[in-house]
Amino acid sequence: MSEPAEALRIDVFTIFPEIVEGFASQSLLGKARERGLLDVRTRDLRAHTTDVHRTVDDAPFGGGAGMVLMPDPLVTAIEAADPPRPLFLLGPGGRRFDQETARELSASGGFSLLCGRYEGVDQRVVDGWCDGELSIGDYVLAGGEVAAMVVIEAVGRLVPGVMGNAESSTEESFSSGLLEYPQYTRPADFRGREVPEVLRSGDHGRIARWRHAQSLVRTAVSRPDMLAARPLTPEDESVLGEFHLLAQVRTLIPDPDTHR
Ligand code: JCQ
């Protein structure tokens, strides 16, 4: 018997600790917390303010629209927490957070998130106290809280023991570089729309090959860029051929020579 693993600790610095706290206490993550697998700690950026308005932002030097998060409340909150490192700022200018990053962070000793707000964070905090910046995508949010919750959920579900074996297959499929095949449940006929015959055939080998072919078609249709980075294997070509889908997939894969 092995020792129970140490909980993955994630400290979150935010002006909305109750939103992140509510999220982390619910459902899958809440259960993982109760079971000692996850240790999410929300840190209120206003906790160390001393003025009546509990001010955390101020106008930018040099002028311009909006407000900037001030260094003193942030750094005081960070120093009081002694958070697990690395500390990542969440913002649209960061390195893209993807499944690979989620996997790395889930296997790390812990990390922390600083939720940016307003027009940004005083650059001296970024330079002196943050270890990197993460972005969940190319759009601008009002604040980093939603991005922090995305990171917590994507990472938390990968911590060993948080999810049953059922869900780990989804992760495996993403590692394979393909999208998921379509899923069906009862009834076999829903308003005249039938579940594909192969799934009711009981032929598990053929079912696995059909699913593989469907994953390839879906990826070719929705994410051709993923297939450009992962050429078709002989097994891919074989299953696509079996279900007469090889030509369709080939026409959807971008030709690397016709780029730029
Ligand atoms: C995160 N993709 C978008 C908004 C400034 C650090 O400064 C700022 C942070 C935010 C909040 O985060 C995002 C975001 N990933 O908008 C403005």
Side-chain angles (χ1 to χ4, degrees):
M1 280 292 281
S2 61
E3 294 279 311
E6 193 95 50
L8 179 70
R9 182 171 153 190
I10 309 175
D11 284 28
V12 187
F13 295 88
T14 166
I15 59 166
F16 292 120
E18 51 303 315
I19 294 177
V20 180
E21 178 55 42
F23 176 76
S25 67
Q26 301 292 314
S27 189
L28 179 92
L29 298 177
K31 270 163 210 128
R33 237 176 168 186
E34 286 169 11
R35 291 162 58 205
L37 300 169
L38 266 182
D39 181 13
V40 177
R41 303 187 192 183
T42 52
R43 310 290 195 184
D44 188 353
L45 287 175
R46 295 190 197 276
H48 303 275
T49 55
T50 49
D51 64 311
V52 282
H53 302 292
R54 312 189 75 196
T55 309
V56 292
D57 61 329
D58 203 347
F61 269 113
M67 301 289 272
V68 175
L69 287 171
M70 298 154 63
D72 189 70
L74 271 57
V75 168
T76 312
I78 293 166
E79 287 176 342
D82 187 22
R85 295 282 179 166
L87 167 59
F88 298 109
L89 173 66
L90 290 164
R95 173 168 74 101
R96 175 63 60 83
F97 175 76
D98 59 12
Q99 191 65 16
E100 189 184 323
T101 317
R103 226 174 281 132
E104 287 167 10
L105 292 175
S106 73
S108 76
F111 62 96
S112 301
L113 301 170
L114 171 57
C115 301
R117 275 262 140 195
Y118 310 105
E119 301 314 308
V121 176
D122 189 288
Q123 189 60 36
R124 292 165 294 185
V125 178
V126 181
D127 296 342
W129 284 268
C130 295
D131 304 299
E133 188 168 343
L134 290 179
S135 165
I136 63 160
D138 290 343
Y139 34 76
V140 181
L141 304 169
E145 284 74 16
V146 167
M149 293 188 282
V150 167
V151 170
I152 294 165
E153 180 160 319
V155 171
R157 65 185 287 284
L158 298 181
V159 170
V162 169
M163 294 213 311
N165 284 338
E167 255 79 13
S168 47
S169 64
T170 308
E171 159 67 5
E172 273 162 31
S173 120
F174 219 111
S175 334
S176 81
L178 297 177
L179 301 181
E180 274 296 282
Y181 49 78
Q183 297 279 13
Y184 298 87
T185 186
R186 286 179 288 190
D189 181 329
F190 179 67
R191 302 189 184 183
R193 296 164 188 260
E194 291 184 3
V195 170
E197 181 280 325
V198 56
L199 297 178
R200 295 182 281 155
S201 68
D203 182 341
H204 298 292
R206 193 158 160 265
I207 290 170
R209 295 194 302 278
W210 181 83
R211 285 176 164 171
H212 180 177
Q214 290 296 310
S215 283
L216 287 160
V217 171
R218 276 196 165 183
T219 311
V221 169
S222 302
R223 293 293 306 276
D225 57 302
M226 287 170 71
L227 282 183
R230 174 203 172 286
L232 293 183
T233 67
E235 177 64 15
D236 293 339
E237 294 186 345
S238 163
V239 297
L240 288 169
E242 178 177 351
F243 297 99
H244 312 288
L245 295 164
L246 187 52
Q248 188 201 341
V249 165
R250 282 239 167 87
T251 60
L252 292 165
I253 299 176
D255 182 348
D257 297 335
T258 50
H259 273 304
R260 265 176 216 107

